[in-house]
Short mmCIF file of all heavy atoms in Angstrom, two decimals:
data_model
loop_
_atom_site.label_atom_id
_atom_site.label_comp_id
_atom_site.label_asym_id
_atom_site.label_seq_id
_atom_site.Cartn_x
_atom_site.Cartn_y
_atom_site.Cartn_z
N GLN A 555 3.37 19.73 8.07
CA GLN A 555 3.79 21.12 7.95
C GLN A 555 4.21 21.66 9.31
O GLN A 555 3.53 21.44 10.29
CB GLN A 555 2.66 22.00 7.40
CG GLN A 555 2.23 21.66 5.98
CD GLN A 555 1.09 22.53 5.52
OE1 GLN A 555 0.54 23.29 6.31
NE2 GLN A 555 0.74 22.44 4.26
N LEU A 556 5.35 22.36 9.33
CA LEU A 556 5.77 23.07 10.53
C LEU A 556 5.38 24.53 10.38
O LEU A 556 6.18 25.37 9.98
CB LEU A 556 7.28 22.95 10.75
CG LEU A 556 7.81 21.55 11.00
CD1 LEU A 556 9.30 21.60 11.25
CD2 LEU A 556 7.10 20.91 12.18
N GLY A 557 4.12 24.84 10.59
CA GLY A 557 3.63 26.20 10.50
C GLY A 557 3.56 26.68 9.06
O GLY A 557 4.00 26.03 8.12
N GLY A 558 2.98 27.87 8.84
CA GLY A 558 2.92 28.46 7.51
C GLY A 558 1.93 27.77 6.61
O GLY A 558 1.26 26.81 6.98
N VAL A 559 1.83 28.25 5.40
CA VAL A 559 0.98 27.65 4.38
C VAL A 559 1.89 27.25 3.24
O VAL A 559 2.45 28.08 2.55
CB VAL A 559 -0.09 28.64 3.88
CG1 VAL A 559 -0.94 27.98 2.81
CG2 VAL A 559 -0.95 29.10 5.04
N CYS A 560 2.07 25.97 3.06
CA CYS A 560 3.03 25.46 2.09
C CYS A 560 2.35 24.53 1.11
O CYS A 560 1.30 23.97 1.38
CB CYS A 560 4.15 24.70 2.79
SG CYS A 560 4.97 25.65 4.09
N ALA A 561 2.98 24.34 -0.02
CA ALA A 561 2.41 23.50 -1.06
C ALA A 561 2.42 22.04 -0.63
O ALA A 561 3.36 21.58 0.01
CB ALA A 561 3.21 23.66 -2.35
N PHE A 579 7.36 20.47 5.04
CA PHE A 579 7.80 21.74 4.46
C PHE A 579 7.71 22.82 5.53
O PHE A 579 7.01 22.70 6.51
CB PHE A 579 6.92 22.14 3.28
CG PHE A 579 7.03 21.23 2.11
CD1 PHE A 579 6.26 20.08 2.02
CD2 PHE A 579 7.92 21.51 1.08
CE1 PHE A 579 6.36 19.24 0.93
CE2 PHE A 579 8.02 20.67 -0.01
CZ PHE A 579 7.24 19.53 -0.10
N ILE A 580 8.41 23.93 5.31
CA ILE A 580 8.31 25.07 6.20
C ILE A 580 8.35 26.34 5.37
O ILE A 580 9.00 26.38 4.32
CB ILE A 580 9.44 25.07 7.25
CG1 ILE A 580 9.17 26.15 8.30
CG2 ILE A 580 10.80 25.28 6.63
CD1 ILE A 580 10.05 26.01 9.52
N CYS A 581 7.66 27.38 5.80
CA CYS A 581 7.66 28.67 5.10
C CYS A 581 8.33 29.72 5.97
O CYS A 581 8.15 29.74 7.19
CB CYS A 581 6.23 29.11 4.79
SG CYS A 581 5.42 28.09 3.55
N ALA A 583 7.63 32.70 6.36
CA ALA A 583 6.67 33.62 6.98
C ALA A 583 6.30 33.21 8.39
O ALA A 583 5.76 33.99 9.15
CB ALA A 583 5.42 33.71 6.12
N ASP A 584 6.58 31.95 8.77
CA ASP A 584 6.16 31.48 10.08
C ASP A 584 7.33 30.86 10.83
O ASP A 584 7.18 29.86 11.49
CB ASP A 584 5.03 30.46 9.93
CG ASP A 584 4.29 30.23 11.25
OD1 ASP A 584 4.25 31.14 12.09
OD2 ASP A 584 3.78 29.12 11.42
N ARG A 774 -0.25 19.30 10.57
CA ARG A 774 0.46 20.54 10.86
C ARG A 774 0.97 20.54 12.29
O ARG A 774 0.22 20.23 13.22
CB ARG A 774 -0.43 21.76 10.63
CG ARG A 774 -0.78 22.03 9.16
CD ARG A 774 -1.41 23.41 9.00
NE ARG A 774 -0.47 24.46 9.33
CZ ARG A 774 -0.64 25.34 10.32
NH1 ARG A 774 -1.71 25.28 11.09
NH2 ARG A 774 0.25 26.29 10.55
#
Side-chain angles (χ1 to χ4, degrees):
Q555 296 178 352
L556 296 183
V559 179
C560 306
F579 293 86
I580 189 167
C581 291
D584 196 29
R774 291 192 65 242

